[in-house]
Amino acid sequence: MRTLLTHATLIDCVDPQARPDCAVLLEDGRIRDIFPAGSAPAVGDAEVVDLKGAYLLPGLWDVHIHPDYFQSLTDMPLPEQVTLFGHRLQQALLESGIVGLRCAGAHHYMDVAWKRAFDSGQHLGPRLFAAGHFLTTTGGHFLTSGHALEVDGPYGWVTAIREQIKNGVDHIKLNLSGGIMGPAWDLHRHSFLLPDELKAAFDICKLREFKVMAHATNPAAVKAAILAGAHSIEHGYILDDECIELFLEHDAWYVPTLSISHLTPGQASNDWEKRWVKNRNLAQSLCCRADAASDVHQHGFIKALKAGVKMALGSDIRPLKDAALLELGLWVRDGATPWQALVAATRNGAAICGMGEQLGTVEKGKIADLIVVGANPLEDINNVRRLQLVLKDGRIVADKRGTAR
C-alpha cells in the first residue's frame, strides 16, 4: 500500500522549523521518502491525500498512564474494567492522536492483555508498553487505586518482580515514595523502601534486564533510584541541585507529570483545564496538597529543563484522550517552549520506550504513525487539539477533516 501526502506543512520533530508544502510518501507502513516543496514525485499507483497546508507531525505519546481507578471489583467487575480500558486506549488514538502509551500500573495485567491484542492486529489501538501492577510497600502509595501490590522485605520484592516478568510486562514500576494523591500517611516527602529492599529490587531487575520506572517524589528517593540504576524517574515533585546532576551523570529520564500538582480549581487557567477539574471533582484536602506542591514542582521542572535533563511527557490522569493534551498545555504554562513540549510528547516519548529508532519523528524509514492538525502547534501548543487525521502504520485510522476547526 502506497500513500502520498501532499501539500503538508511538515513538523518532523527533528528540526524546530515547520517546512511548508512538503510531500511524504508512505509505503508498507513506513515513511518511504520526504520531498521538499515543489518536488513531489510522479503519483504512480499511490493514493494521494492533499493536506492543503495542514501540519503533519509524529503522533503523540503519553508515557505515564493508568486505567480508570475503582476501589474494588464490586464497583465494576473485572471484565467491564478491562473492556473500559481498551475503549479508553482506542479513544486516545482515534480522538486525540496518541499513538503510544506507557503504563505505570494496572491490576490483573489488563495492560498486557491489551498490548497483545493491539500488537497482534486483533484490535486497533495505540502502541502500549505494559507494567502490570505497580509495586509498593505495606502502607505504601495509592493503595485505593486497585493497581498496587504491597510487598515487603528483599525477597518479597524479588518475588513480586519475578511475577511481573512472568506475566509479560515490558518494564517494572517501583513506588519508592509517597504521593500527593493519598491519605494523610501517604506523603510525597516520605520514602518507603529500606536499603536492603531497594538493593534487592534493582538487583533482580538488572539481572533480568528489565528497565525500572521509579515513582520517586522527593530528593532522597530520586537520588536513591538514579544511583540504583532507574531508567526513569516519575513525578520528581521536589528536586535539588544534586538530583539534577545525577540525572545528567547517569543519563536517566525524567517524567514530571505536572497534571498531578497543577490541575486544581484555583490553578485551572483555560476552558479545557476548568472543564477537566470540574469533572474530576477532587476532594478539597487533595486540592490543598496539590496547590501546596505546585510551585516547588514547577521550580524543579524548570531547573531540569534548563539543565538539559532528558524529559518525556506523561500525564498520570484520565481520561486518556484528554490527558496528554492537558499535560502539553501545562508544560508550556510552566515555562517550556512549544517545541520542547512537542519533542517531549513525540521523539522523547518513543525514545523512553526504546522505540526511538522506529518512531517519534517524521524521517525516512521510520514507521508512519502520524497526525495532521489544522494549525501550527509551534505557535500555540493547543493547536494539537485541531486534529484532522490520525495514521497508524501508514494507514488513516481517523479522519476528522469534516469536523476539525
Side-chain angles (χ1 to χ4, degrees):
M1 177 181 174
R2 300 170 77 239
T3 303
L4 183 66
L5 306 175
T6 63
H7 303 299
T9 305
L10 180 62
I11 300 175
D12 60 13
C13 287
V14 178
D15 183 340
Q17 304 299 320
R19 289 187 276 160
D21 200 22
C22 293
V24 179
L25 179 63
L26 312 180
E27 185 172 4
D28 297 329
R30 290 185 178 267
I31 300 166
R32 175 69 179 273
D33 215 338
I34 300 172
F35 303 91
S39 61
V43 173
D45 61 351
E47 177 188 1
V48 178
V49 179
D50 186 352
L51 300 186
K52 301 179 179 179
Y55 291 78
L56 175 69
L57 57 150
L60 304 177
W61 290 67
D62 186 339
V63 299
H64 189 122
I65 69 154
H66 299 276
D68 289 59
Y69 294 130
F70 298 95
Q71 292 194 5
S72 73
L73 295 179
T74 59
D75 295 326
M76 180 180 283
L78 182 61
E80 282 83 353
Q81 288 195 39
V82 176
T83 302
L84 178 63
F85 186 35
H87 175 64
R88 301 285 202 216
L89 292 164
Q90 290 173 332
Q91 275 187 321
L93 173 69
L94 300 177
E95 296 184 24
S96 302
I98 317 297
V99 301
L101 300 110
R102 184 179 66 147
C103 202
H107 65 79
H108 289 84
Y109 303 102
M110 66 174 77
D111 53 351
V112 175
W114 277 111
K115 172 191 173 63
R116 290 172 175 166
F118 295 148
D119 287 353
S120 70
Q122 185 180 5
H123 293 276
L124 173 65
R127 302 183 192 278
L128 184 62
F129 297 82
H133 303 90
F134 61 74
L135 306 178
T136 190
T137 61
T138 296
H141 176 58
F142 213 16
L143 303 179
T144 58
S145 66
H147 302 305
L149 275 187
E150 296 175 273
V151 295
D152 296 288
Y155 290 103
W157 281 87
V158 169
T159 300
I161 289 166
R162 287 171 173 159
E163 284 288 333
Q164 306 306 298
I165 293 171
K166 181 180 74 175
N167 282 282
V169 303
D170 295 300
H171 52 269
I172 302 297
K173 170 71 179 303
L174 304 181
N175 279 25
L176 309 184
S177 58
I180 291 172
M181 301 299 162
W185 44 263
D186 180 3
L187 300 175
H188 68 275
R189 67 175 184 269
H190 290 170
S191 298
F192 292 161
L193 275 69
L194 297 173
D196 58 350
E197 293 175 316
L198 186 75
K199 183 177 186 304
F202 277 88
D203 280 353
I204 191 61
C205 289
K206 289 175 188 173
L207 284 173
R208 300 301 297 270
E209 298 183 39
F210 272 75
K211 293 175 180 176
V212 173
M213 183 183 193
H215 170 115
T217 54
N218 60 66
V222 169
K223 294 170 195 176
I226 295 175
L227 289 170
H231 178 63
S232 69
I233 300 298
E234 312 297 309
H235 312 301
Y237 299 134
I238 309 169
L239 300 176
D240 62 20
D241 290 341
E242 188 180 356
C243 291
I244 302 300
E245 292 170 7
L246 287 173
F247 270 115
L248 297 171
E249 180 183 343
H250 292 266
D251 202 32
W253 285 94
Y254 176 37
V255 180
T257 65
L258 299 173
S259 295
I260 297 298
S261 67
H262 284 55
L263 289 179
T264 62
Q267 295 186 77
S269 62
N270 59 44
D271 288 343
W272 298 298
E273 292 175 3
K274 290 174 183 176
R275 185 161 51 247
W276 186 90
V277 166
K278 182 179 179 181
N279 290 336
R280 178 70 173 88
N281 194 27
L282 195 64
Q284 179 61 27
S285 61
L286 296 180
C287 288
C288 289
R289 284 173 64 166
D291 288 339
S294 180
D295 286 349
V296 174
H297 193 187
Q298 179 187 12
H299 179 72
F301 167 76
I302 291 296
K303 187 183 294 186
L305 196 67
K306 289 181 177 178
V309 172
K310 295 192 309 184
M311 297 168 68
L313 183 139
S315 66
D316 200 19
I317 58 171
R318 288 147 301 286
L320 299 178
K321 67 181 180 65
D322 299 324
L325 306 182
L326 288 164
E327 184 75 12
L328 273 166
L330 293 175
W331 270 60
V332 174
R333 197 177 97 191
D334 266 9
T337 65
W339 169 250
Q340 288 172 318
L342 195 59
V343 167
T346 55
R347 187 171 81 200
N348 289 0
I352 200 174
C353 294
M355 295 297 292
E357 296 298 316
Q358 300 290 326
L359 292 157
T361 60
V362 185
E363 296 181 272
K364 287 173 62 174
K366 287 201 168 182
I367 297 170
D369 285 8
L370 308 169
I371 60 173
V372 176
V373 299
N376 190 353
L378 298 179
E379 295 177 354
D380 180 350
I381 196 62
N382 287 310
N383 283 333
V384 296
R385 296 175 177 273
R386 299 180 65 173
L387 189 65
Q388 295 186 2
L389 295 174
V390 180
L391 294 92
K392 184 182 180 187
D393 291 314
R395 181 169 64 92
I396 295 174
V397 295
D399 187 343
K400 298 178 177 297
R401 285 173 293 182
T403 58
R405 290 179 294 118

